[in-house]
Amino acid sequence: MSGLPKGWVEATVSQVGSTTEQAVLTGPFGASLGKGDFLSSGVPVFTIGCLGNGYIIEEKLSFISDQKAEELAAYRLREGDLMFSRMATVGRVGFVPTKFSGSIFNYHLMRLRLCDAVIEPRFFYYYIKGAELVASYLADQNRGATRDGINTKLLEQLPISLPPLAEQKRIVAKLDALNARSARARTELARIETLVSRYKQAVLSKAFSGELTRAWRESSGVALSASEKLAVAKALQRALSSRRGARTNTHPIEFDAVAAIPGSWAHAVIGVGADMTVGFAFKSEWFRVDGVKLLRGANIAPRAIDWSELKCLDASRAQEFARYLVEENDIVLAMDRPVISTGLKVARVAKQDAGCLLVQRVTRFRASEFVAQDFLWWFLNTQVFLAHSLHRATGSDLPHISGDDIATCPLPVPPLEEQHEIVRRIESAFAKIDRLAKEAKRALELVGRLDEAILAKAFHGELVPQDENDEPAEHLLARIRAEREAAPKGKRGRGSRG
């Protein structure tokens, strides 16, 4: 490498490794350490899954007996050793913490012991993470018939642009300080994703309690008329009387699940606010690879429709099932396992998804005369409906919510004019929140780029000032080379060469 800063020198891992022990050692291979040796507790064993990008994932540790660990004594780790991933994601590196001194590492990792009289271990750690020279070398040297990999010899030959030891320590101190700042920034920016979800739910909570439009309502004087309230009450009575008797007793309507509503609104249930249709049980032998798409529960994700698992019905047969046609702006809900880790499996049908047919255990919602479709959509995204779905779902292996239980979720009904104002305010608030979230995501990406730029400056000698009094790295290497040549033969540690 030409153009090195003054006092720097080209070196390799073998030149900066331990002078008394084998610097690079690959973990025990094959039958020396297999799955049959692993226990639920004992001496910790590091595998490639334990090595994150600069940190240790303790939950992924394996364990072996004290006796087995003694057999593998040559592969014991010490505090300050560096572990290097040699397969799969090549080049991940991490330090061995104090509490794991004496642990073992397996064949997918290599252990590095450096000569701290020549190289500061944390400088090497940062160098592996950020130097362009390392990235290009590893990319060129990865090998393996079925998996990427690198062996001991190739790691020993890995090139290093080595500064004077004193300058290395200044670089490390500067990088540590800057990393602490960027870590704090990452933590704060990462919190925004959680805050976004909470803020959106707070907006929805205010919307369906009447708080979001309180001032607007008081100034406009908009309210349901006596006849409108009576119409809602009659529709509610019809919905309740249509329920099966057993469910009326075991699942009473919980109107208190919704916050106290303004006197100008009315209490109802989703069965009053929407025309609900549950899909048809199409026979599997009717399925085709093309034709009219069938909308199944597997195709519904939280706020999205996913056609990666596609089933179709022949177009000629589809005409018989026009009642189950799904149109743009319909709302659909998966009734089997309705709640997953990312939220409720409810989605709005976009133009490109329209024209499909509704399959059994999927519900289609179309707003009634009392409710606007947009208002209904936002209500189905509230914590009230999510909690209702979780509470009413039956079955442990495959939780299912029935059409009756969906229809009887409490739903507040404001005047239509106020519903439109509520929707406008929700969408305006969400647009602002999403802009902030987008800016936070972009800022998080910029932090990563800044870290990369800082590392690049560090390894071009531009991050910290140089000192003419520093002993050049070339002199350090010469002295260590002389010590190695003078050392008795056979002092280096034994182990697999990989």
Side-chain angles (χ1 to χ4, degrees):
M1 179 179 177
S2 60
L4 288 175
K6 186 177 180 181
W8 292 42
V9 69
E10 294 179 3
T12 63
V13 168
S14 64
Q15 291 176 295
V16 299
S18 172
T19 59
T20 60
E21 301 172 274
Q22 188 170 326
V24 180
L25 179 66
T26 299
F29 178 69
S32 300
L33 180 61
K35 289 184 179 180
D37 296 312
F38 293 144
L39 308 172
S40 59
S41 62
V43 178
V45 177
F46 283 91
T47 64
I48 200 166
C50 303
L51 206 56
N53 190 16
Y55 57 93
I56 301 299
I57 307 173
E58 294 188 22
E59 310 87 75
K60 299 290 183 71
L61 283 169
S62 299
F63 301 91
I64 56 176
S65 67
D66 290 336
Q67 180 181 352
K68 187 64 180 179
E70 190 59 35
E71 293 175 18
L72 300 173
Y75 304 98
R76 283 195 182 273
L77 294 162
R78 293 204 300 254
E79 177 188 0
D81 281 346
L82 282 157
M83 290 181 291
F84 186 95
S85 61
R86 62 175 296 268
M87 302 187 78
T89 307
V90 175
R92 285 191 175 180
V93 64
F95 284 100
V96 176
T98 304
K99 65 179 179 179
F100 291 120
S101 187
S103 57
I104 304 294
F105 61 104
N106 80 344
Y107 180 69
H108 295 144
L109 299 175
M110 287 189 280
R111 183 221 67 200
L112 285 81
R113 282 186 183 154
L114 304 174
C115 177
D116 56 13
V118 177
I119 189 167
E120 170 68 34
R122 285 193 64 76
F123 175 84
F124 182 84
Y125 164 78
Y126 281 126
Y127 192 82
I128 291 291
K129 288 184 67 177
E132 295 174 9
L133 188 62
V134 172
S136 61
Y137 176 83
L138 293 177
D140 289 342
Q141 300 300 330
N142 276 359
R143 63 186 181 83
T146 58
R147 301 179 68 183
D148 290 341
I150 189 170
N151 63 21
T152 303
K153 183 177 180 181
L154 291 173
L155 183 56
E156 287 177 337
Q157 294 172 349
L158 187 146
I160 303 172
S161 301
L162 190 69
L165 186 59
E167 187 173 346
Q168 291 178 41
K169 292 180 178 180
R170 292 195 296 273
I171 290 172
V172 166
K174 187 69 173 179
L175 288 174
D176 283 347
L178 293 173
N179 269 0
R181 293 181 186 177
S182 63
R184 287 194 296 271
R186 279 195 183 88
T187 299
E188 294 303 315
L189 290 169
R191 287 181 64 240
I192 291 177
E193 184 176 352
T194 302
L195 294 175
V196 162
S197 177
R198 290 178 183 172
Y199 187 30
K200 285 184 174 181
Q201 284 303 324
V203 170
L204 292 175
S205 178
K206 287 188 174 183
F208 293 100
S209 67
E211 181 63 24
L212 192 62
T213 47
R214 182 173 57 83
W216 176 91
R217 183 172 55 254
E218 291 172 354
S219 63
S220 67
V222 171
L224 288 175
S225 66
S227 61
E228 288 172 330
K229 286 187 176 182
L230 181 60
V232 172
K234 287 182 176 180
L236 176 59
Q237 185 58 42
R238 287 194 299 272
L240 296 181
S241 63
S242 67
R243 301 181 73 201
R244 296 188 297 276
R247 299 193 69 77
T248 304
N249 297 325
T250 57
H251 294 288
I253 307 300
E254 299 171 349
F255 286 112
D256 57 354
V258 179
I261 60 174
S264 56
W265 294 15
H267 276 297
V269 291
I270 284 179
V272 170
D275 170 32
M276 292 172 50
T277 300
V278 177
F280 184 78
F282 294 96
K283 296 180 180 180
S284 58
E285 57 262 33
W286 295 353
F287 292 171
R288 299 290 182 269
V289 294
D290 54 21
V292 178
K293 295 176 180 176
L294 295 175
L295 184 65
R296 302 172 301 135
N299 302 123
I300 302 175
R303 296 167 295 283
I305 291 177
D306 175 10
W307 295 111
S308 57
E309 295 183 28
L310 181 61
K311 302 290 183 183
C312 297
L313 191 70
D314 188 87
S316 61
R317 187 184 290 274
Q319 296 174 7
E320 305 171 31
F321 303 100
R323 178 170 179 264
Y324 302 100
L325 187 68
V326 178
E327 299 176 354
E328 182 180 3
N329 209 36
D330 281 346
I331 301 168
V332 290
L333 171 75
M335 300 167 72
D336 283 343
R337 195 174 284 110
V339 182
I340 58 176
S341 60
T342 51
L344 184 73
K345 292 173 67 174
V346 63
R348 212 165 179 178
V349 179
K351 184 176 182 179
Q352 67 269 21
D353 300 315
C356 56
L357 291 173
L358 205 65
V359 177
Q360 70 170 340
R361 297 179 181 267
V362 176
T363 302
R364 181 188 67 199
F365 299 85
R366 289 176 180 168
S368 70
E369 60 184 299
F370 304 112
V371 173
Q373 186 79 350
D374 290 347
F375 182 85
L376 178 63
W377 163 249
W378 286 117
F379 181 78
L380 292 173
N381 281 274
T382 62
Q383 286 294 323
V384 169
F385 185 65
L386 177 65
H388 178 87
S389 300
L390 285 168
H391 178 62
R392 295 299 178 90
T394 57
S396 55
D397 293 336
L398 184 64
H400 172 81
I401 184 168
S402 69
D404 182 84
D405 281 328
I406 295 169
T408 52
C409 177
L411 171 72
V413 179
L416 282 172
E417 186 178 349
E418 187 169 358
Q419 290 183 36
H420 294 309
E421 180 63 18
I422 287 171
V423 168
R424 187 191 69 77
R425 294 189 178 212
I426 289 173
E427 292 179 350
S428 175
F430 276 32
K432 292 177 182 177
I433 297 168
D434 288 338
R435 281 197 299 272
L436 290 172
K438 187 176 181 179
E439 289 173 8
K441 183 178 179 181
R442 183 171 178 272
L444 197 55
E445 292 171 353
L446 290 175
V447 169
R449 292 179 191 172
L450 178 60
D451 287 345
E452 292 172 4
I454 288 170
L455 287 172
K457 287 176 69 71
F459 304 125
H460 284 88
E462 301 170 357
L463 185 63
V464 298
Q466 292 188 294
D467 189 335
E468 292 185 357
N469 296 318
D470 291 343
E471 182 182 14
E474 187 176 6
H475 294 180
L476 288 172
L477 285 180
R479 189 166 65 251
I480 294 303
R481 186 164 54 247
E483 289 181 12
R484 281 199 179 97
E485 291 172 355
K489 302 302 179 183
K491 289 275 287 184
R492 303 290 293 277
R494 64 182 180 85
S496 170
R497 297 285 298 175

